Amino acid sequence: MRRLLWQALRRPVTLPRPAASESALAELAESVDLAAKRRLGRSLSIRQVDAGSCNGCELEIHALNNAVYDLERYGVRFVASPRHADVLLVTGPVTTAMREALERTWTATPEPKWVVAAGDCAAGGGLFADSYAVAGGVADVVPVDLHIGGCPPTPTQLLRGLLALLEATPDNVRTRK
Amino acid sequence: MTGGHTLRGTMVPHHRPWPRQVLDRYDQPALPAFLAASDAELFDLWADAGVVHAALRDPASGAFAVASVPCPKGRFASIAAVRPGAIRLERAIRDLFGYEPVGSADARPWLDHGRWPQAAPLGGEPGGERMEQASETPDGPPPYPFLPVEGDGLHQIPVGPVHAGIIEPGHFRFHASGETVVRLEARLGYVHRGIEGLLAGTDLARAARLIGRVSGDSTVAYAYAFARAAEAATGTEPPPRAVWLRALMAEMERLANHLGDIGAICNDAAFALMHAHTGILRERMLQAAEAAFGHRLMMDRIVPGGTAGDLDAAGIQAIRDAAAEIGKRFPGLVRLYDQTASLQDRTVSTGIVRPDYVALYAAGGFVGRASGRSFDARRDAPYPPYDRLRFDVPVRRDGDVNARVWIRIREVEQSLQLIEQILAGLPRGQHRTELGPSSGEGVGLVEGFRGDVMVWLRIGADQRVERCRPRDPSWFQWPLLETAIEGNIVADFPLCNKSFNCSYAGHDL
């Protein structure tokens, strides 16, 4: 039986690498610092923060770790603490109850750091923007370097945005433009 | 309702499909008295202008009813002493509407963390500014007193709201003696987005989109329950094809979530191979959903009056292929789970939920069914097309992590069979009809992957939502997680928590 299970994995299930998102590269042009890129090399550690999402974004972020998208092959991985992170990947409209937790997580993340706001809610509150319980989009609370749209963004959309972050140096953003 | 005990009141017209009666004003303490003397199950408790509604079910006859209790001077008689599942619901009513549950077991706020610009935001009191003492002080929001624990050598472990994994926010306060958990208390409300407030006054199309985002993993179940509530309120009959397509989406959602959960539970028991395999199968189902319905989670695909789109031959084939692959691979994974001693060592006898607790809280889903409560809305509050489909509702009584895994395993098998039946019997015809113009009140109760999702809705004459109340099954599951972990070691908490997989967003609203 064990052999049978391994056989199921023998055929590659992993999708080929998608291209980095052009719109993300353009948005990153101003915020990515060349010196920071030199220090980080080609790896990123991500701390995910749910600041008020419906959990749809989390499901798709989870999917990045499955064998089909296999995020770790690009040197990108999720870490358990903001202290270990280069990137905060934030979802949801930021609720008033999560605002302080998000600010504290951002403060706990060492420089250099980037914030990626994932999902339509994270961009400006989405459908929840007018609520008494919502502080707004992620950029209303912490500085955002990159938005990845979608409700929720698909794993491929997320991957294209994160790859853009890996590839974006001021030089290559300029040449692509 | 139950033999010998009755509630006296005035029947409300245009409330479908269950009857609703407004209890006589002088009869106000009648509800707790009635509940104390009967075994009626509490399905929800929520507030409306000047009134509190209780959705009840008689387990003997299976009949549902809504009892509405007037709240003169913003007070109503607490029922938490006889139905402990009501404790948090009553705290939420106090937070949102300002109505005081008289004789309440717990005076602490629940959804309100003291950070909203106004207290009781849905209470409708004009100029309801937050009172001074409750508002945020220069030192931050008011402190939240956790329940005390006394004894030698006890220590506290605070966890959250930001956790170590990719998970929704919530706070868990453990009191432990060495490694053994003496008490766990959850504090939720971090994901409160004010959905009930946003729903009031909005049109049905926007309301459907909001409802589809109460809890993203159950977006189909919520849209399904909302559509049924809207159709009940307006007396609309959805076309047969739409009815079958909805059930198809619901089973695909159940399948994807169960596959994800089975793997995630094993992963928390340090058995990543299962997680890798189920992750691939889950992904196959989501890709089929995208091919068939144009969205991986099938968000916004069920609408009042039918479905947003139709299903073509290519979509049917995509679902058939994915289901066939899962059907082929899954039995091997079940054997792997069953025959891996290191895995069983972690799941068997861990995190037991007592059957009497499950009955008292009327806990639904795999949490209830793993501890002996055999309720499944598809069978016990039947709605089409499930009244024409064959399926079993698996039940166990051992109530541990292992039992909750097995309920999911059996439900995956049932969902695969249901998908086959639905694709074979899918009627032809249109997939959407216009809603009737009438106004009224309606309830939709559907079985989501996590348990029964209920939506109560009142539509005004202008076809706008006057009041809408979505209720997540997690309300009656979260409190039982606290009982399940007691006496277990701290390291088994992730395993217990994952085996429940309660919704934060759905509960917090």
Side-chain angles (χ1 to χ4, degrees):
Chain A
M1 182 188 66
R2 297 290 163 105
R3 198 170 49 202
L4 190 140
L5 284 165
W6 285 113
Q7 275 170 354
L9 284 183
R10 205 170 52 187
R11 188 170 47 89
V13 293
T14 312
L15 287 176
R17 175 198 180 95
S21 157
E22 290 292 332
S23 61
L25 282 169
E27 188 179 356
L28 287 166
E30 290 175 10
S31 61
V32 177
D33 173 66
L34 186 56
K37 287 299 296 183
R38 284 210 188 97
R39 274 167 60 191
L40 288 166
R42 292 189 53 81
S43 75
L44 282 180
S45 294
I46 303 177
R47 175 83 271 267
Q48 196 266 338
V49 183
D50 176 345
S53 106
C54 74
N55 197 32
C57 290
E58 278 63 36
L59 293 178
E60 295 296 52
I61 291 167
H62 265 294
L64 287 175
N65 278 326
N66 72 27
V68 177
Y69 300 101
D70 189 20
L71 185 68
E72 291 210 12
R73 73 183 137 143
Y74 304 110
V76 182
R77 64 199 182 104
F78 288 97
V79 294
S81 165
R83 302 274 186 214
H84 303 156
D86 311 308
V87 172
L88 291 183
L89 179 62
V90 189
T91 61
V94 183
T95 63
T96 57
M98 276 304 289
R99 180 183 191 127
E100 183 187 339
L102 176 59
E103 287 167 346
R104 286 207 206 182
T105 308
W106 186 82
T107 309
T109 311
E111 297 277 359
K113 61 187 167 194
W114 293 286
V115 175
V116 178
D120 291 344
C121 294
L127 283 176
F128 307 102
D130 298 330
S131 171
Y132 61 86
V134 166
V138 177
D140 294 319
V141 180
V142 295
V144 171
D145 299 287
L146 172 63
H147 289 91
I148 301 174
C151 186
T154 64
T156 304
Q157 284 174 304
L158 288 163
L159 202 48
R160 283 163 54 85
L162 293 173
L163 288 176
L165 195 54
L166 266 182
E167 291 179 0
T169 62
D171 286 347
N172 92 9
V173 169
R174 228 174 329 223
T175 53
R176 276 169 185 262
K177 261 184 173 173
Chain B
M1 210 166 151
T2 309
H5 308 283
T6 50
L7 288 166
R8 286 197 310 280
T10 313
M11 297 302 291
V12 176
H14 310 302
H15 186 280
R16 289 172 287 243
W18 312 339
R20 174 163 92 83
Q21 59 176 327
V22 180
L23 303 191
D24 300 336
R25 198 182 168 106
Y26 56 85
D27 237 356
Q28 204 204 105
L31 186 59
F34 166 77
L35 289 173
S38 83
D39 55 1
E41 297 175 320
L42 178 71
F43 264 63
D44 196 13
L45 186 74
W46 71 103
D48 200 347
V51 70
V52 167
H53 304 293
L56 305 170
R57 175 178 178 263
D58 176 11
S61 67
F64 285 89
V66 175
S68 303
V69 181
C71 292
K73 295 179 186 147
R75 294 155 65 85
F76 64 100
S78 167
I79 61 167
V82 286
R83 290 294 178 277
I87 295 175
R88 290 174 176 179
L89 293 165
E90 289 180 354
R91 291 166 71 185
I93 288 172
R94 191 201 289 123
D95 289 351
L96 295 176
F97 280 80
Y99 300 160
E100 183 60 31
V102 177
S104 152
D106 198 330
R108 297 174 298 169
W110 180 238
L111 296 177
D112 185 356
H113 289 202
R115 296 172 188 267
W116 302 338
Q118 65 193 92
L122 307 187
E125 288 293 320
E129 295 290 307
R130 181 173 280 287
M131 285 190 295
E132 198 58 47
Q133 68 270 25
S135 71
E136 204 159 336
T137 65
D139 304 324
Y144 183 83
F146 285 91
L147 298 175
V149 176
E150 288 176 13
D152 287 338
L154 291 175
H155 58 283
Q156 278 191 31
I157 310 171
V159 180
V162 178
H163 302 286
I166 301 166
I167 179 170
E168 300 180 84
H171 182 87
F172 298 100
R173 185 66 57 101
F174 295 89
H175 281 92
S177 170
E179 271 297 292
T180 306
V181 178
V182 175
R183 167 179 271 164
L184 162 67
E185 193 183 352
R187 188 188 184 197
L188 303 177
Y190 290 92
V191 215
H192 179 74
R193 292 151 288 166
I195 288 178
E196 286 176 86
L198 290 167
L199 283 165
T202 191
D203 62 58
L204 290 176
R206 185 180 159 84
R209 288 173 56 79
L210 276 163
I211 291 278
R213 286 155 184 81
V214 172
S215 181
D217 54 22
S218 303
T219 181
V220 170
Y222 272 94
Y224 200 166
F226 179 74
R228 287 188 52 75
E231 288 151 12
T234 56
T236 309
E237 187 77 32
R241 186 173 177 84
V243 167
W244 285 65
L245 286 176
R246 291 171 175 184
L248 178 61
M249 288 186 230
E251 295 310 318
M252 290 169 70
E253 180 176 83
R254 188 182 333 277
L255 202 51
N257 280 310
H258 279 343
L259 287 169
D261 275 2
I262 292 166
I265 295 166
C266 295
N267 198 45
D268 277 349
F271 195 71
L273 178 64
M274 183 72 93
H275 191 43
H277 280 285
T278 57
I280 294 168
L281 297 187
R282 173 185 158 83
E283 182 65 28
R284 285 287 285 123
M285 193 35 80
L286 297 187
Q287 288 176 355
E290 180 162 40
F293 297 107
H295 192 283
R296 285 163 55 87
L297 305 181
M298 297 169 281
M299 211 166 241
D300 304 327
R301 267 41 188 183
I302 294 179
V303 294
T307 60
D310 205 351
L311 178 65
D312 60 14
I316 289 174
Q317 195 56 47
I319 298 169
R320 278 223 166 92
D321 290 348
E325 187 178 338
I326 295 167
K328 195 172 123 210
R329 296 263 160 80
F330 192 64
L333 298 178
V334 176
R335 284 201 300 280
L336 181 65
Y337 176 78
D338 199 28
Q339 295 172 12
T340 303
S342 64
L343 195 49
Q344 299 275 315
D345 186 48
R346 296 291 305 280
T347 61
V348 175
S349 81
T350 304
I352 295 173
V353 180
R354 288 168 39 173
D356 53 337
Y357 287 176
V358 161
L360 190 59
Y361 278 76
F366 39 76
V367 172
R369 292 193 285 271
S371 293
R373 181 171 179 261
S374 177
F375 177 83
D376 185 315
R378 293 174 296 174
R379 185 195 61 193
D380 301 310
Y383 46 100
Y386 288 103
D387 47 0
R388 296 183 51 191
L389 299 171
R390 295 180 314 280
F391 61 99
D392 292 329
V393 177
V395 181
R396 291 174 71 115
R397 285 190 66 82
D398 31 355
D400 54 3
V401 171
N402 179 55
R404 290 186 285 278
V405 171
W406 274 107
I407 296 288
R408 286 179 175 83
I409 288 172
R410 293 292 172 240
E411 290 185 5
V412 165
E413 296 162 357
Q414 293 298 315
S415 284
L416 284 170
Q417 290 185 23
L418 280 166
I419 288 172
E420 209 175 289
Q421 289 177 49
I422 293 168
L423 289 177
L426 192 63
R428 294 177 189 282
Q430 57 170 347
H431 61 85
R432 189 172 183 177
T433 186
E434 285 297 312
L435 276 193
S438 63
S439 55
E441 296 177 336
V443 191
L445 183 77
V446 305
E447 189 70 22
F449 91 96
R450 184 179 278 123
D452 41 287
V453 169
M454 190 181 127
V455 171
W456 183 87
L457 174 67
R458 183 171 67 245
I459 301 177
D462 56 355
Q463 286 278 290
R464 285 182 174 266
V465 174
E466 280 186 1
R467 174 87 177 94
C468 179
R469 159 70 178 175
R471 192 273 289 147
D472 198 85
S474 301
W475 279 99
F476 306 117
Q477 296 167 340
W478 274 118
L480 299 179
L481 176 62
E482 296 178 355
T483 72
I485 187 65
E486 200 179 302
N488 288 252
I489 60 172
V490 175
D492 278 339
F493 178 67
L495 208 48
C496 295
N497 190 30
K498 193 66 76 180
S499 75
F500 271 68
N501 189 13
C502 295
S503 172
Y504 298 70
H507 165 283
D508 290 355
L509 281 170

